């Protein structure tokens, strides 16, 4: 039994591994190694079983006469449309090395930006989770002890206090049901966010939340500018670059702007005009 084959379906290629692959491929080709030789080196030195298998297939396809972009296109879950388009443009223009160098720089910057965003969101996420846990524990264990005091006093309580006590009683008497309900709400909310309606609502809200909204706008503007810049530098035509960038940005409203931009630029409209009309999402600097 081939152990590598058993592990292959479970493997995945991380973004950092793809960045390293691209940088190393560019460096080896710059040093004069043939493409197949460079791929063979990456295959042998990689510790990721999935990546080893992918590099092997790509190298074999190139030996059979395929171009690099055609071999990469067989693995869309690993190599994005942006990645494949830049490699294709580099091969067609005889500037594959330049395309790979530009791509590696773009990916490193995108990876760095992604890590900074995750780092910035860790603290508020932890605070919100801790607050939620403390709130549930207080409702189950603290409020019932206070309720006993209220009952001894035997006075008419405000409606808000009655609601709080009733909620606490329900949560303390049905703890398992409450926990199951919380898990169900979280899972259901996650599933809702993956629907188109959920995406439109959540993406609309995140662009208008104080502080977070500004970060979201800056991130999407940065992705747009960086992707277009890299694609133009690689020699991709304007319409093709805009359509590929549409796949790069995650927010549905930015996708809609770029879809409109591709259609209008094709008819002669300047790209800057579309961005000016959407200055509520794209900063004036862009």
């Amino acid at each position: 039994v081939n152990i590598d084959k058993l592990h292959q379906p479970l493997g995945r290629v991380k973004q950092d591994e793809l960045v390293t692959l691209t940088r190393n491929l560019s460096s080896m080709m710059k040093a004069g190694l043939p493409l197949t030789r460079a791929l063979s080196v990456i295959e042998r030195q990689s510790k990721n079983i999935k990546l080893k298998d992918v590099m092997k297939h790509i190298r074999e396809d190139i030996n059979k006469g395929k171009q690099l972009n055609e071999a990469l296109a067989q693995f869309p879950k690993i190599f994005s449309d942006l990645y494949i388009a830049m490699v294709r443009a580099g091969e067609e223009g005889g500037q594959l090395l330049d395309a790979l160098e530009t791509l590696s720089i773009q990916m490193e910057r995108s990876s760095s930006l992604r890590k900074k965003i995750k780092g910035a969101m860790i603290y508020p996420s932890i605070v919100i989770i801790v607050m939620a846990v403390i709130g549930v524990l207080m409702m189950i264990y603290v409020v019932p002890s206070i309720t006993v005091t209220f009952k001894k006093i035997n006075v008419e309580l405000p409606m808000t206090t009655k609601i709080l006590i009733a909620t606490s009683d329900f949560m303390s008497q049905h703890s398992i049901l409450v926990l199951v309900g919380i898990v169900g709400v979280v899972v259901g909310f996650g599933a809702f966010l993956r629907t188109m309606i959920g995406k439109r609502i959540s993406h609309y809200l995140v662009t208008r939340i104080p502080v977070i909204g500004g970060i979201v706008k800056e991130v999407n503007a940065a992705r747009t500018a960086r992707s277009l810049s890299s694609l133009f530098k690689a020699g991709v035509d304007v319409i093709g670059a805009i359509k590929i960038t549409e796949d790069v940005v995650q927010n549905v409203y930015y996708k809609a702007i770029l879809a409109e931009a591709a259609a209008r630029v094709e008819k002669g409209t300047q790209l800057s005009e579309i961005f000016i009309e959407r200055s509520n999402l794209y900063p004036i600097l862009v």
Side-chain angles (χ1 to χ4, degrees), residues 173-241:
Q173 294 170 14
H174 306 87
S175 301
I176 303 299
L177 182 61
V178 170
L179 291 174
V180 172
I182 291 173
V183 172
V185 169
V186 171
V187 173
F189 184 69
F192 173 71
L193 290 179
R194 287 192 289 271
T195 65
M196 182 51 65
I197 296 176
K199 286 181 180 179
R200 292 188 69 86
I201 293 174
S202 63
H203 291 178
Y204 176 84
L205 292 175
V206 295
T207 58
R208 281 158 177 78
I209 298 174
V211 181
I212 293 177
I215 295 174
V216 170
K217 291 177 181 179
E218 293 288 346
V219 167
N220 281 281
R223 282 177 175 165
T224 301
R226 186 176 294 129
S227 299
L228 287 173
S229 172
S230 299
L231 289 163
F232 291 154
K233 194 171 183 180
V236 179
D237 64 278
V238 176
I239 307 301

Side-chain angles (χ1 to χ4, degrees), residues 145-155 157:
S145 63
I146 300 175
T147 303
V148 174
T149 305
F150 284 141
K151 289 180 179 178
K152 287 181 180 179
I153 297 175
N154 195 24
V155 295
L157 300 173

Side-chain angles (χ1 to χ4, degrees), residues 71-190:
L72 297 175
Q74 297 180 73
F75 303 96
K77 291 183 179 180
I78 298 176
F79 302 100
S80 65
D81 290 340
L82 173 65
Y83 197 107
I84 296 168
M86 289 187 64
V87 171
R88 183 189 302 115
E91 288 182 306
E92 290 175 353
Q95 298 177 328
L96 179 58
L97 178 56
D98 292 339
L100 288 172
E101 287 181 344
T102 302
L103 189 54
S104 64
I105 294 171
Q106 194 267 354
M107 292 176 67
E108 285 175 354
R109 290 175 178 172
S110 295
S111 179
S112 176
L113 179 62
R114 191 181 299 107
K115 289 177 181 177
K116 287 179 181 178
I117 294 169
K118 287 182 178 179
M121 296 305 294
I122 286 176
Y123 178 73
S125 299
I126 292 174
V127 171
I128 291 172
I129 292 171
V130 170
M131 286 176 61
V133 171
I134 291 174
V136 171
L137 292 176
M138 286 184 66
M139 293 295 287
I140 295 176
Y141 297 106
V142 179
V143 175
S145 63
I146 300 175
T147 303
V148 174
T149 305
F150 284 141
K151 289 180 179 178
K152 287 181 180 179
I153 297 175
N154 195 24
V155 295
E156 184 65 23
L157 300 173
M159 181 56 66
T160 52
T161 306
K162 290 180 179 179
I163 294 172
L164 182 66
I165 291 173
T167 304
S168 174
D169 288 342
F170 178 82
M171 293 179 70
S172 58
Q173 294 170 14
H174 306 87
S175 301
I176 303 299
L177 182 61
V178 170
L179 291 174
V180 172
I182 291 173
V183 172
V185 169
V186 171
V187 173
F189 184 69

Side-chain angles (χ1 to χ4, degrees), residues 11-20 48 51 78 107:
R12 69 186 186 90
V13 179
K14 297 179 181 179
Q15 185 68 18
D16 286 345
E17 291 176 318
L18 194 57
V19 171
T20 302
N48 186 315
L51 188 57
I78 298 176
M107 292 176 67

